[in-house]
Amino acid sequence: MQALIKYGRADKNVELRDIPQPADPAPGHVIVQVRAAGVCGSDLHMWREKQSWAVKLPLVLGHEFCGTIAAVGEGVRGFAEGDRVAVETAAEVCGVCAYCHSGDYNQCPRRLGYGALYDGAFTQYVSARQQILHHIPDNVPFEHASLTEPICVAYNALVEKTPVVRPGDCVIIQGPGPIGMMALLIAKLRGASELIMLGTRHDERRLAVAAEIGATHTLNIDKGDPLELIRELGDGFGADLVVDCSGVSVALRQAMQLVRPNGIITKIGWGPQPLDFSLDPLVQKAVTLQGSFSHLHATWERALALLSSGQINLAPIIGGVYPLKNWQAAFERMEAGVNVKSVLLPG
């Protein structure tokens, strides 16, 4: 079967290759026929060799996916051949560390994520353990179900990690990529009154989509000063919450300027660049700075319920659906900012 492989540590060392199809599923596992897989910004980083996390080589890319169960291993309960399932990213965890025992398996030190340290989903068949499977509601199409994972990333950051977002709050989101869009949708559901999306000159199309799905203000920071905007809103002291989805370290300096005293900065985006500025504003403003990583089982069930109820509509966000052979077009249109999100159909 064909798979999209990262084979080296240089720019664009990615190509389609033939790999063996998975054998019969191991006990407690199923084989999933991949029906749709979202392209993540991290996939673009690995395509361009700009990632700041460990990867194995060669590597099948892709970690946002769903499909139908093609085979069921011994001991699997609650799932059968033909079931439509979304699959979490934690391909393996140790199951015995303090974090696994507490249920916080996203922090397991031996966690292997699809598309990073474990072969991913830009292919036709993937093995998955039953603990990370979720039934897809009948009214949710595969193209939308494949994006459950980035919804969960945003839900974890804005609900599980940030329980104080209230109706009337001002929320600023840095970076109108897929995670930024999902954060916007979740913040809107939580009742924030001012939803501000910040981008750059490369994000004009994405900023337009952000306005379409609920941003009350969008700003190209290459043309306008977000500090001027935030001073004109409410009492002028700043945002209650700033969510960094940008993937550049310098965004933290801007976030410290934009957040109000006693506010919160939640960092989702990975920024590999070293900091070259003072963190004293965090102290002066008594700001809470927190990171948010991945997600857990209950988050997936809630995200799928939001998709099924129509409270999250992904149609404006999906810019194109492509067969696996056209993966490069899918990547390039996301990199250029034409597509907020591209979805691959490996089948």
Side-chain angles (χ1 to χ4, degrees):
M1 63 181 185
Q2 283 202 313
L4 188 60
I5 304 286
K6 177 177 174 61
Y7 59 86
R9 298 305 301 264
D11 183 25
K12 295 187 176 181
N13 280 177
V14 172
E15 66 183 13
L16 285 176
R17 292 183 177 180
D18 286 323
I19 64 171
Q21 185 169 321
D24 292 339
H29 289 64
V30 304
I31 301 298
V32 177
Q33 182 179 3
V34 181
R35 296 303 181 93
V39 179
C40 179
S42 64
D43 296 313
L44 301 185
H45 290 317
M46 288 183 281
W47 173 48
R48 290 297 201 171
E49 188 54 30
K50 293 181 179 179
Q51 71 277 0
S52 58
W53 52 88
V55 299
K56 79 175 189 73
L57 293 179
L59 172 71
V60 180
L61 295 175
H63 62 271
E64 304 173 2
F65 70 106
C66 64
T68 54
I69 295 179
V72 176
E74 180 182 353
V76 171
R77 299 290 183 268
F79 295 93
E81 289 186 20
D83 284 357
R84 302 167 75 244
V85 292
V87 186
E88 295 183 37
T89 54
E92 287 187 8
V93 295
C94 74
V96 297
C97 71
Y99 293 102
C100 286
H101 280 306
S102 68
D104 297 318
Y105 56 87
N106 60 334
Q107 295 296 335
C108 172
R110 296 179 179 84
R111 176 186 182 275
L112 300 181
Y114 286 113
L117 295 174
Y118 195 98
D119 281 337
F122 290 165
T123 188
Q124 292 164 298
Y125 293 92
V126 174
S127 175
R129 55 194 179 94
Q130 64 178 331
Q131 292 89 344
I132 58 173
L133 302 176
H134 299 266
H135 290 288
I136 300 172
D138 291 341
N139 65 334
V140 177
F142 285 123
E143 290 86 350
H144 290 204
S146 69
L147 305 188
T148 307
E149 195 274 341
I151 297 172
C152 290
V153 170
Y155 190 101
N156 187 48
L158 274 84
V159 179
E160 307 295 352
K161 296 286 291 184
T162 313
V164 295
V165 179
R166 298 157 297 188
D169 277 357
C170 175
V171 176
I172 293 177
I173 299 168
Q174 299 169 297
I179 300 299
M181 295 297 188
M182 304 301 181
L184 172 61
L185 291 170
I186 297 297
K188 181 181 177 181
L189 284 175
R190 298 214 70 185
S193 295
E194 298 289 354
L195 290 163
I196 304 168
M197 180 67 78
L198 304 181
T200 69
R201 64 182 182 276
H202 300 295
D203 296 319
E204 293 291 354
R205 166 62 184 150
R206 292 178 172 183
L207 290 172
V209 173
E212 181 181 351
I213 65 174
T216 56
H217 303 273
T218 63
L219 181 66
N220 174 350
I221 62 173
D222 294 323
K223 295 181 178 180
D225 184 355
L227 271 174
E228 292 182 6
L229 172 61
I230 197 67
R231 287 169 182 159
E232 295 172 356
L233 299 176
D235 58 15
F237 281 112
D240 299 280
L241 170 66
V242 180
V243 187
D244 175 12
C245 305
S246 67
V248 292
S249 298
V250 72
L252 179 58
R253 178 164 57 188
Q254 183 188 70
M256 291 190 296
Q257 295 170 339
L258 297 173
V259 70
R260 68 188 295 110
N262 298 324
I264 298 173
I265 299 171
T266 298
K267 184 168 177 56
I268 305 175
W270 294 68
Q273 305 86 1
L275 302 180
D276 61 353
F277 50 85
S278 172
L279 298 181
D280 285 350
L282 287 176
V283 180
Q284 180 184 15
K285 289 185 173 182
V287 168
T288 298
L289 171 63
Q290 61 180 2
S292 181
F293 175 70
S294 193
H295 29 66
L296 296 169
H297 188 276
T299 314
W300 280 70
E301 292 296 309
R302 293 188 175 98
L304 286 164
L306 290 172
L307 283 173
S308 181
S309 68
Q311 291 174 278
I312 287 184
N313 176 20
L314 298 178
I317 294 173
I318 299 175
V321 178
Y322 305 83
L324 185 60
K325 67 180 180 180
N326 292 344
W327 69 269
Q328 190 163 340
F331 278 41
E332 289 173 347
R333 290 180 72 82
M334 276 188 65
E335 184 181 49
V338 177
N339 292 353
V340 175
K341 196 72 172 176
S342 297
V343 174
L344 297 178
L345 305 179

